[in-house]
Amino acid sequence: MVTAYDAFHGRLLREAGIDIALVGDSLGMVVQGHDSTLPVTVSEMVYHTRMVSRGLRGAALLVSDMPFLSYQPSIEVAIKEAGRLVKEGGAQAVKLEGGKDYAPTVRALVSSMIPVIGHVGLLPQRVHAMGGFRVQGRNSSEGESILADARALAQAGVFALVVEGVPLELAKRITSEVAVPVIGIGAGPHTDGQVLVIHDLLGWTKEESLPRFVRPFSRGGKEAVRALSEFRREVENGGFPRESESYSEAGPENAPLPQ
Ligand code: KIV
């Protein structure tokens, strides 16, 4: 699973054969520039989900995050807002953060034919309640409580679970004891699958801001800054464009431009 926020990302995931595209509410941080995911709205999630869907063209399962306060107020609100992600955005499933307290919400969504992925451990929508983005489940009572959350969500009908920011031993236990596939992020190598934020994976995030669990598989950000600087220098010194990169009066001007 990899996050995607627009049609370009959707195309990249399609071409790479990624199984699940997650339109994460992390877009509040990596696309919109906020310092948490809390400001993201359902309308923004619909907008981004629709874009991803155009690039993905059905090549991967399209999952959309339910943003902060789109499911917490009541089950009725959750069904209505998840319904928007499916009907207007084209999502095939939704993901929501939280444990056993949300089991009734998950049951109601699943009965409304909306498949749900659960999300336990470090919950970015609880950044204030957790006192920051901190690893969860380091002591045994916290670990037991996260395991109980995972079990309750599986019993309520989630078809998969994201487990974020927990010790690898706890993630391994959840994976072996819970009957649905577990997708880890910052949770070690023993889960069934892995998810990363596309900006982190491709090296677009500044290295100083990367948590230890991220391995950038490309140096996209550095390469982009190098290319932009070279473009600026070439324009300034007259090196771009060359005549060979221009149209001339004698050229085949009626030839269609590539799209
Ligand atoms: O919002 C998001 O991108 C996520 C992933 C980090 C799992 O929830």
Side-chain angles (χ1 to χ4, degrees):
M1 176 193 270
V2 178
T3 69
Y5 311 113
D6 61 24
F8 169 58
H9 297 160
R11 174 171 71 77
L12 294 180
L13 269 55
R14 169 164 54 86
E15 291 181 2
I18 300 295
D19 291 323
I20 306 177
L22 171 66
V23 187
D25 60 355
S26 50
L27 69 84
M29 299 174 78
V30 295
V31 176
Q32 298 175 334
H34 296 296
D35 56 11
S36 78
T37 60
L38 304 184
V40 178
T41 66
V42 173
S43 296
E44 289 164 348
M45 292 304 298
V46 166
Y47 173 72
H48 285 276
T49 304
R50 220 188 282 141
M51 284 193 279
V52 174
S53 148
R54 287 187 204 114
L56 201 61
R57 295 194 208 149
L61 185 74
L62 179 56
V63 181
S64 193
D65 254 342
M66 298 203 67
F68 183 52
L69 293 189
S70 67
Y71 58 97
Q72 290 91 341
S74 70
I75 285 177
E76 288 69 29
V77 168
I79 293 174
K80 182 167 155 281
E81 302 294 28
R84 285 193 63 198
L85 296 172
V86 173
K87 287 166 74 113
E88 298 172 39
Q92 293 163 308
V94 299
K95 174 169 81 58
L96 57 82
E97 294 180 13
K100 42 189 163 307
D101 295 349
Y102 291 97
T105 308
V106 168
R107 256 186 223 106
L109 288 171
V110 173
S111 311
S112 306
M113 307 300 146
I114 301 177
V116 183
I117 295 184
H119 184 155
V120 298
L122 192 165
L123 305 178
Q125 291 179 18
R126 293 197 191 165
V127 58
H128 298 314
M130 291 181 311
F133 297 105
R134 293 171 195 288
V135 174
Q136 302 292 300
R138 272 206 158 122
N139 62 55
S140 72
S141 74
E142 246 182 53
E144 289 304 323
S145 154
I146 294 171
L147 181 59
D149 283 340
R151 281 206 190 99
L153 291 170
Q155 273 164 12
V158 298
F159 72 92
L161 264 180
V162 165
V163 176
E164 177 167 2
V166 302
L168 58 90
E169 298 84 354
L170 176 59
K172 188 175 184 182
R173 226 181 124 198
I174 295 173
T175 306
S176 70
E177 293 188 23
V178 168
V180 296
V182 171
I183 303 168
I185 175 162
H190 305 299
T191 53
D192 300 301
Q194 295 288 332
V195 54
L196 282 178
V197 167
I198 192 165
H199 289 61
D200 297 345
L201 189 162
L202 294 181
W204 296 336
T205 308
K206 274 190 167 301
E207 271 168 35
E208 321 68 276
S209 332
L210 284 180
R212 67 177 283 161
F213 65 80
V214 170
R215 184 192 308 170
F217 286 82
S218 150
R219 299 172 74 78
K222 283 213 164 77
E223 174 56 17
V225 173
R226 189 209 55 73
L228 290 165
S229 309
E230 187 180 333
F231 169 73
R232 177 180 55 75
R233 273 196 307 276
E234 286 289 276
V235 171
E236 283 171 359
N237 67 24
F240 178 83
R242 298 190 190 99
E243 286 201 353
S244 62
E245 291 163 325
S246 314
Y247 300 108
S248 73
E249 286 174 0
E253 291 311 302
N254 290 330
L257 296 177
Q259 293 297 306

